[in-house]
Amino acid sequence: MKRIPRPTLTATIVGAASFALILTGCAAGTGSTAAKDEKVKLTVATFNEFGYDDLFAEYEAANPNVTITHKKAATSNEARDNLTTRLAAGSGLSDVEAIEVDWLPELLQYSDQFVDLTSDDVKGRWLDWKAKAATDADGHLIAYGTDIGPEGVCYRSDLFAAAGLPTDRAEVAKLLGTSWDSYYAAGKTFEAAGTNVPWFDSAGATWQGVVNQMPNAYEKKDGTIIATENPDVKKAYTSVLAASSTLSAHLGQWSDDWTASFQNNGFATMLCPGWMLGVISGDAKGVTGWDIADTFPGGGGNWGGSYLTVPKQSKHQEAAQKLAAWLTAPEQQLKAFASKGTFPSQVDALASDKLLGATNEFFNNAPTGQILANRAAAVDVTPFKGTHYFAINDAMQQALTRVEDGTMTPDESWAQWTTDVKALG
Amino acid sequence: MTTAAAAGVNARSIRRIALSHKLSRWDVRFSPYLYISPFFVVFALVGLFPLLYTAWVSVHDWNLIGGQGDFVGLENFSTVLAQPYFWTSLRNTFSIFLLSSIPQVLVAISIAAVLDFNLRGKTFWRMGVLLPYVVAPVAVALIFNDLFGDKYGLINSLLTDVGLGPVRWHVDVLPSHIAIATMVNFRWTGYNALIFLAAMQAVPRDYYEAALIDGASRFRTFRSITVPLLRPIIIFVIITSTIGGLQIFDEARMFDQAGQGGANRQWQTLTLYIYELGWNQRNFGRASAVAWLLFLIIIVIAILNFVITRRIAGASERRLRQKGIS
């Protein structure tokens, strides 16, 4: 008689059962880490460079019951995907999540997913427009501001000299003027000198500067899309493209060609927020002549800047809020500025000598602290960014690119942009 | 008394034996299913469930963060079918798929044929062919982006040096497809070559010897012996590369910094379009509709491939049989 030993069957059942256990174990394992004792483990998610690495150690030393784990995403897009996916899933977010200003319109729709951080301790801490952008319709502040991106104009003084233009910071500021027309006119003068170097990097980057000065470019306050009928948008579109047809290097910002162009005299000027200084000095390593002028076409301009939020998913909301408040206090942001150059958004920090005295060696020892503080003070428009801002602006960037690379005429590209915007609804 | 007791014991042990028989019969009959069940359990969890759930999402208004909205029936499908970008990305998907899969299979089978010879340092060559497969696609994209730069790329510098104009890799449709297909081919050709090689080594050597004695050339033996006997493997490779080819994502997404397939959607594939709808526009309903359309397209193409390759390979095998080789 052929006998199959009994253990085989038992082993099978045990095996299958333990497999099932492993599966359920996986599902249940992510839950409860909240303990009742005072020891608190906080996770903080940031991206790019917030300049917080030393600050965490400092906070842990001052609060021995707190341990901080730092999760750093390489790019803000990665962080955005992570945030929205986990927000949708309802779990997995860190106790403190860093966000960028452009995500706010979408996140404010779901402000109930975030802890209301309003508190008397932080009242008036930030520039008005910085705090306003993170406040929802009911007046809840869902995010503490970290840095801002006040924009100046960066330029290559060596190329300016070659074209017979002034090179001194103050004189360049006068030459560039305060309107877009004067900025383009200076470009024409530069071009006429025949150095064969384009004036600015791309229509898209220039557009970013222009559109951030319109209070309601694409949407009305109630969220109605007016992008395609707005005469200001059409006018800006025409004028940016008219300028870029002769003045632009036609490089997509952040493209490999754009990065490489810093080593190849790719262009003479670019609109640059404070955080861009680090990008330029990195990409243009070894190139001398970069400088920054204390002016910006069309009034002030802000590009980017970040915030810290505390998601409702956090198990230690109070401790997380305390940490976020501490990190975004003027003293700490000044330390972050010293280590990574993130420009503070706090009123007290903007008046600090530490900030105003800061200079940047790569930019010909320019007093970047003072210049950017002036630029921040010049910002007078808070552009309204509704739920479709991101997608509409993205489509606009592509519309500009289509004209720059010669795929379409400005009119054709405008028509396609109109279709794209209509398809969003 | 003793007999009764003995009978009782006997009956019990008979019952016990009967039970153990039954158990071992069950064991033989059901255990195999239990052993392979982990695959199907995992598949049901990570394959079948998402598939059905996507169908559920595709008939609703569904925001990435906000979640489920109203039931809208097939409206998402009709909306995306009316979008020009859907058709552009369908065209791009097929173009990149054909530009990658066809050369890939042809080159892979030739490389395999060469590797099948008695080369010195066999393992070295075989590992060398597989090396690109080990490199992550994103890393491949980074390397190739340096080659395919429009202004400062290596290939365009070379073209300009020899007097040809630069190719606008990121502007014109066909060049962008060729560039992306090159990345895909770089990664997958060696992998497929090794699969072909494994199959070739299973071909009995007698056939080749007989053919060579009859005066057949190397090329002739390849055409008349190797290829027909590789039929099942060719079908396998073509179907897997169809599935992969219609889902190209990494290479196209990494081809420029925006990752949306170009300003005029020159190289936006269907998977990129899904990503744009789902994560950029936050419209999961429409994204799921496109995902389902892609799923149906893949099934249709896979069946078509299967039928065609079976017919072609079948014909050459019949020829072989007529000549009395097989």
Side-chain angles (χ1 to χ4, degrees):
Chain A
M1 191 185 104
K2 195 179 157 200
R3 263 191 66 114
I4 291 174
R6 191 86 60 81
T8 322
L9 182 61
T10 331
T12 314
I13 295 167
V14 170
S18 53
F19 182 74
L21 267 179
I22 293 168
L23 275 185
T24 46
C26 289
T30 47
S32 60
T33 38
K36 281 273 180 277
D37 61 341
E38 74 226 303
K39 285 256 180 256
V40 182
K41 278 188 190 160
L42 292 177
T43 46
V44 180
T46 68
F47 45 87
N48 297 342
E49 274 302 348
F50 275 66
Y52 284 168
D53 291 332
D54 298 336
L55 294 176
F56 289 141
E58 197 183 325
Y59 191 79
E60 282 175 340
N63 302 275
N65 62 325
V66 178
T67 343
I68 299 171
T69 318
H70 189 193
K71 294 188 197 165
K72 187 148 75 174
T75 66
S76 63
N77 274 348
E78 196 183 307
R80 180 170 178 260
D81 287 350
N82 177 58
L83 177 77
T84 43
T85 311
R86 293 185 179 201
L87 211 53
S91 69
L93 285 174
S94 297
D95 297 299
V96 176
E97 282 276 345
I99 60 165
E100 208 166 47
V101 60
D102 282 357
W103 316 348
L104 272 170
E106 268 162 342
L107 296 180
L108 280 173
Q109 284 184 95
Y110 308 102
S111 57
D112 56 331
Q113 302 262 13
F114 295 93
V115 176
D116 176 18
L117 301 176
T118 320
S119 143
D120 287 339
D121 302 341
V122 297
K123 207 169 222 167
R125 181 186 272 186
W126 295 276
L127 291 169
D128 246 7
W129 52 269
K130 180 76 177 171
K132 216 169 84 188
T135 310
D136 73 0
D138 304 327
H140 302 309
L141 179 71
I142 67 158
Y144 286 162
T146 59
D147 61 326
I148 50 174
E151 292 183 274
V153 179
C154 291
Y155 67 98
R156 286 276 299 273
S157 59
D158 53 336
L159 296 177
F160 271 46
L165 297 181
T167 58
D168 176 68
R169 237 168 265 132
E171 283 176 57
V172 170
K174 217 178 289 162
L175 170 78
L176 299 178
T178 52
S179 74
W180 291 101
D181 288 339
S182 62
Y183 175 62
Y184 298 149
K188 295 259 195 278
T189 322
F190 178 80
E191 192 206 359
T195 48
N196 271 333
V197 176
W199 179 241
F200 57 73
D201 53 344
S202 70
T206 311
W207 175 263
Q208 211 62 33
V210 178
V211 80
N212 270 327
Q213 292 173 339
M214 296 185 196
N216 293 78
Y218 302 137
E219 291 152 297
K220 282 203 283 200
K221 280 264 187 279
D222 62 3
T224 338
I225 299 178
I226 52 164
T228 51
E229 294 106 51
N230 190 343
D232 291 343
V233 171
K234 177 85 203 220
K235 221 172 81 191
Y237 174 82
T238 317
S239 75
V240 166
L241 283 177
S244 89
S245 65
T246 54
L247 300 179
S248 166
H250 308 303
L251 295 161
Q253 204 158 31
W254 311 113
S255 68
D256 293 315
D257 276 344
W258 181 78
T259 309
S261 70
F262 281 99
Q263 298 289 345
N264 293 292
N265 292 346
F267 44 85
T269 68
M270 72 183 284
L271 308 177
C272 61
W275 47 265
M276 189 66 92
L277 302 182
V279 176
I280 295 177
S281 55
D283 286 344
K285 205 172 218 143
V287 177
T288 51
W290 276 102
D291 207 326
I292 176 170
D294 187 1
T295 186
F296 192 73
N302 180 71
W303 180 9
S306 302
Y307 292 86
L308 298 181
T309 66
V310 179
K312 283 254 171 77
Q313 292 176 14
S314 164
K315 299 229 159 52
H316 314 284
Q317 298 178 1
E318 226 169 288
Q321 178 173 358
K322 208 176 129 206
L323 173 62
W326 183 82
L327 285 171
T328 54
E331 306 80 51
Q332 275 65 250
Q333 279 304 138
L334 280 172
K335 284 179 195 162
F337 172 72
S339 86
K340 296 292 175 198
T342 51
F343 197 77
S345 61
Q346 293 76 2
V347 179
D348 287 352
L350 287 171
S352 134
D353 290 339
K354 257 192 237 165
L355 181 84
L356 298 178
T359 58
N360 192 319
E361 206 187 320
F362 184 83
F363 287 86
N364 192 20
N365 289 316
T368 44
Q370 180 67 54
I371 291 177
L372 292 172
N374 293 346
R375 294 293 89 222
V379 177
D380 50 4
V381 176
T382 314
F384 173 76
K385 299 181 178 182
T387 50
H388 289 105
Y389 180 87
F390 196 87
I392 297 177
N393 195 49
D394 204 52
M396 173 51 88
Q397 289 287 349
Q398 288 163 359
L400 295 166
T401 308
R402 285 194 295 268
V403 178
E404 284 222 286
D405 66 22
T407 321
M408 286 188 182
T409 66
D411 287 338
E412 286 167 353
S413 193
W414 176 270
Q416 181 163 340
W417 178 68
T418 315
T419 323
D420 290 352
V421 172
K422 295 242 161 76
L424 292 175
Chain B
M1 183 88 178
T2 44
T3 44
V9 168
N10 224 353
R12 222 179 7 238
S13 67
I14 286 171
R15 232 177 288 135
R16 199 183 297 146
I17 290 170
L19 178 70
S20 89
H21 274 191
K22 193 179 273 175
L23 282 179
S24 64
R25 216 173 38 244
W26 284 354
D27 186 16
V28 171
R29 193 182 293 168
F30 299 118
S31 290
Y33 296 103
L34 213 57
Y35 294 144
I36 56 163
S37 68
F39 170 78
F40 288 96
V41 170
V42 173
F43 172 75
L45 274 176
V46 302
L48 195 61
F49 170 71
L51 197 67
L52 298 175
Y53 194 65
T54 307
W56 173 248
V57 174
S58 72
V59 291
H60 288 84
D61 262 337
W62 203 294
N63 182 285
L64 171 61
I65 306 174
Q68 191 172 355
D70 301 333
F71 177 82
V72 293
L74 295 178
E75 194 192 301
N76 285 325
F77 287 89
S78 59
T79 318
V80 293
L81 286 175
Q83 307 261 338
Y85 287 155
F86 174 80
W87 299 103
T88 323
S89 54
L90 188 66
R91 174 203 70 190
N92 296 342
T93 305
F94 274 97
S95 159
I96 295 175
F97 156 60
L98 293 175
L99 281 171
S100 58
S101 289
I102 295 174
Q104 206 180 100
V105 171
L106 294 179
V107 174
I109 208 166
S110 325
I111 291 178
V114 174
L115 286 178
D116 198 26
F117 292 148
N118 260 330
L119 297 175
R120 267 170 208 274
K122 254 186 235 165
T123 319
F124 172 79
W125 296 114
R126 288 175 192 176
M127 282 313 295
V129 169
L130 194 60
L131 215 53
Y133 178 69
V134 183
V135 185
V138 174
V140 173
L142 287 177
I143 297 165
F144 277 82
N145 279 348
D146 270 345
L147 299 180
F148 289 114
D150 286 11
K151 280 202 177 155
Y152 304 109
L154 197 63
I155 294 180
N156 273 350
S157 309
L158 289 176
L159 287 177
T160 321
D161 285 347
V162 297
L164 297 165
V167 178
R168 302 197 301 168
W169 299 109
H170 290 80
V171 178
D172 296 328
V173 174
L174 197 59
S176 70
H177 292 185
I178 292 173
I180 291 168
T182 311
M183 292 184 222
V184 178
N185 289 339
F186 171 77
R187 188 165 143 73
W188 288 100
T189 308
Y191 175 83
N192 287 332
L194 283 199
I195 292 180
F196 281 133
L197 177 63
M200 279 179 194
Q201 300 203 314
V203 175
R205 300 285 128 170
D206 317 2
Y207 294 173
Y208 293 111
E209 282 164 20
L212 288 175
I213 289 171
D214 285 348
S217 67
R218 283 281 191 192
F219 181 70
R220 185 65 207 271
T221 57
F222 174 73
R223 204 165 56 91
S224 303
I225 300 174
T226 315
V227 173
L229 288 177
L230 248 47
R231 190 186 92 170
I233 291 300
I234 293 177
I235 293 176
F236 170 78
V237 168
I238 287 180
I239 287 181
T240 49
S241 70
T242 304
I243 296 171
L246 292 175
Q247 296 183 348
I248 289 170
F249 180 79
D250 309 38
E251 288 86 358
R253 181 157 166 80
M254 292 299 293
F255 193 52
D256 75 349
Q257 73 286 357
Q260 291 180 345
N264 202 19
R265 304 300 192 275
Q266 291 95 326
W267 64 92
Q268 183 179 52
T269 58
L270 276 174
T271 44
L272 268 184
Y273 186 53
I274 294 173
Y275 193 82
E276 188 195 331
L277 288 174
W279 276 266
N280 194 352
Q281 301 182 12
R282 305 291 160 89
N283 198 328
F284 257 36
R286 286 185 196 169
S288 304
V290 179
W292 254 86
L293 290 170
L294 177 61
F295 174 63
L296 296 178
I297 291 169
I298 290 179
I299 288 183
V300 169
I301 301 291
I303 292 174
L304 216 63
N305 264 341
F306 181 70
V307 171
I308 293 173
T309 34
R310 205 170 57 162
R311 185 156 299 167
I312 293 170
S316 49
E317 197 179 61
R318 270 196 303 281
R319 266 205 311 280
L320 210 65
R321 214 174 282 133
Q322 280 161 9
K323 287 173 193 157
I325 293 181
S326 180

